[in-house]
Amino acid sequence: MHDMDRTAARLHALAVRDFRNLHRVDLTLPPSGMLLVGENGQGKTNLLEAIYYLQVLRSMRGARDQDLVRFGTAGFHLSARVASDRATEIAVGFERAGKRKRVRLDGVVIDRLGEAVGALPVVMFSPSDVELVAAGPAARRRFLDIMLAVTSRGYLRALQRYRAALVRRNAALRDAARHHGGRADARLDVWDEPLAEHGAVLWAEREAWVRGSASGFRTLCAAIGGDSVSIRYASAASALDPGADRREALLRSLRDQRATDLRFGLTRTGPHRDDLLITVDASDGASRELRVFGSAGQQRTAAIALRLLEAETLRERRGGAPVFLMDDPFAELDVPRTGRIVSLLSDSGLGQTILAVPRNGDVPGGMPRLERFRITAGAVRRE
């Protein structure tokens, strides 16, 4: 393994109870990580999801907590011994009956779940990452939000407060529609201010990351696939008022859009509607949206470049490499691209790596040698 950072995050031990198809899993992980081999449907992705859950306290696949509980059981429990800049022990329990979730860090119950977000920094690579590029803006906003929330407590606080104000403003819009707009302006003014205040933080941090990463993104895409691809942050509010500061631009945008928002019962401007635009330089010299005009190979290249930048961001802002979770990430890539990605991973310095593949032969050359474990019907054993 490439000079592993002594301050890198580590997952020393993991205990899983009744999470998806995992009945009882107890693992002690080598410092370099593990190779997890198992046919599809045996639980590889579920185990990686359980580890990822320790970072964001929710499913990486968007599932509700009650849907993560193994069939016929009352709840799930995850616990881990880790090395990170924020904790050495993480435990999460969820009870299906009361939809109650409890989190402990170093044995202390955490009342505000946000305080435990990012306790174990991880980055996940999988073939489904192509959705970061091929899907709509929500996938890219989620990418930015997770990465920035686990590296900046200020961003996480702003995100939580923005979302709370957004829910209340949308409720006020629907209420105004039911009452034919009576006193709508006064009720909406109450929520426009916090939306603009906290939205300005989200906009500024997202834009700063994109601006700081644009050159690296272009370089990575060229190195992996020879493609000329660019990223930029697109905010509707800046288009309306490019000279104003972000808070003022958001306030003006919210007020300009108010009549439309009342008609639809939804807030249709703000960071929750922004996008990370990914464009490819076409042969005619024009830039076109990769989501629409890119080939599958170009889209996969761009998605992996985003994950590599995410890993680098976590390394820089958290003081060491994250844990790398890799769910058969090379399955749909050609051999040359795979080789170049493995080389880039090696050059940047892989942290502890948990690589899941269906067969031993699916591990590309150049990946670090990892101790092999096999998963069958949710049970994991060392080989």
Side-chain angles (χ1 to χ4, degrees), residues 7 102 108 123 148 172 204 214 251 253-254 258 264 270 277 321 335 339 366:
T7 59
R102 177 171 290 188
V108 178
V123 62
L148 296 174
L251 267 179
S253 180
L254 286 164
R258 185 171 287 183
F264 285 94
L277 277 185
V335 173

Side-chain angles (χ1 to χ4, degrees), residues 45-356:
T45 301
N46 294 343
L47 186 65
L48 296 178
E49 183 177 20
I51 298 169
Y52 193 91
Y53 195 101
L54 298 170
Q55 173 174 241
V56 295
L57 307 179
R58 61 178 59 188
S59 166
M60 67 188 186
R61 294 186 269 185
R64 301 176 304 170
D65 283 329
Q66 55 264 42
D67 296 329
L68 302 175
V69 179
R70 193 169 69 89
F71 183 74
T73 62
F76 67 78
H77 191 270
L78 309 172
S79 62
R81 283 193 299 105
V82 305
S84 87
D85 57 339
R86 295 187 187 174
T88 57
E89 292 183 2
I90 308 169
V92 185
F94 175 78
E95 296 174 12
R96 194 202 298 265
K99 296 183 180 177
R100 290 180 60 232
K101 178 156 52 185
R102 177 171 290 188
V103 179
R104 293 177 185 268
L105 290 185
D106 297 335
V108 178
V109 174
I110 303 299
D111 294 323
R112 291 176 173 271
L113 294 183
E115 294 175 10
V117 168
L120 177 67
V122 304
V123 62
M124 176 88 168
F125 292 76
S126 86
S128 65
D129 285 342
V130 71
E131 293 300 305
L132 288 176
V133 179
R140 291 179 288 283
R141 288 193 299 267
R142 176 177 162 81
F143 165 79
L144 291 170
D145 284 342
I146 290 175
M147 173 180 59
L148 296 174
V150 302
T151 55
S152 166
R153 293 189 188 277
Y155 187 92
L156 177 60
R157 280 193 298 271
L159 182 62
Q160 291 170 325
R161 291 168 183 171
Y162 181 86
R163 286 176 173 172
L166 181 63
V167 167
R168 289 174 172 83
R169 188 180 191 270
N170 285 342
L173 286 167
R174 292 191 296 272
D175 187 57
R178 284 195 297 270
H179 295 89
H180 307 293
R183 297 185 61 200
D185 285 342
R187 288 200 298 274
L188 293 173
D189 283 343
V190 170
W191 301 115
D192 284 0
E193 289 288 346
L195 271 181
E197 177 188 347
H198 302 305
V201 175
L202 305 185
W203 180 2
E205 291 212 30
R206 289 176 182 177
E207 196 167 56
W209 183 85
V210 173
R211 194 165 49 245
S213 301
S215 174
F217 178 79
R218 196 174 184 89
T219 299
L220 285 169
C221 288
I224 296 167
D227 305 311
S228 182
V229 184
S230 303
I231 51 172
R232 69 178 177 86
Y233 189 71
S235 168
S238 65
L240 284 171
D241 199 351
D245 72 35
R246 292 180 179 86
R247 181 182 166 279
E248 288 300 319
L250 283 169
L251 267 179
R252 181 169 174 177
S253 180
L254 286 164
R255 287 166 183 165
D256 286 352
Q257 294 288 310
R258 185 171 287 183
T260 305
D261 290 352
L262 283 163
R263 191 161 65 248
F264 285 94
L266 284 172
T267 303
R268 292 164 59 85
T269 188
H272 65 290
R273 307 281 291 192
D274 291 351
D275 196 3
L276 172 63
L277 277 185
I278 306 174
T279 57
V280 59
D281 294 344
S283 57
D284 61 3
S287 288
R288 294 194 168 86
E289 211 176 336
L290 192 65
R291 179 171 71 91
V292 180
F293 294 99
S295 68
Q298 287 174 321
Q299 291 176 348
R300 294 189 185 286
T301 292
I304 286 174
L306 287 176
R307 288 299 185 206
L308 290 168
L309 288 170
E310 179 184 12
E312 188 56 33
T313 300
L314 266 63
R315 184 194 304 276
E316 289 175 357
R317 299 187 181 187
R318 296 292 297 272
V323 175
F324 284 70
L325 305 178
M326 310 190 82
D327 189 9
D328 201 13
F330 310 110
E332 297 177 32
L333 292 167
D334 58 41
V335 173
R337 280 182 209 255
T338 295
R340 291 191 284 268
I341 292 162
V342 170
S343 178
L344 287 166
L345 285 166
S346 177
D347 290 346
S348 65
L350 271 169
Q352 185 184 39
T353 301
I354 300 165
L355 173 60

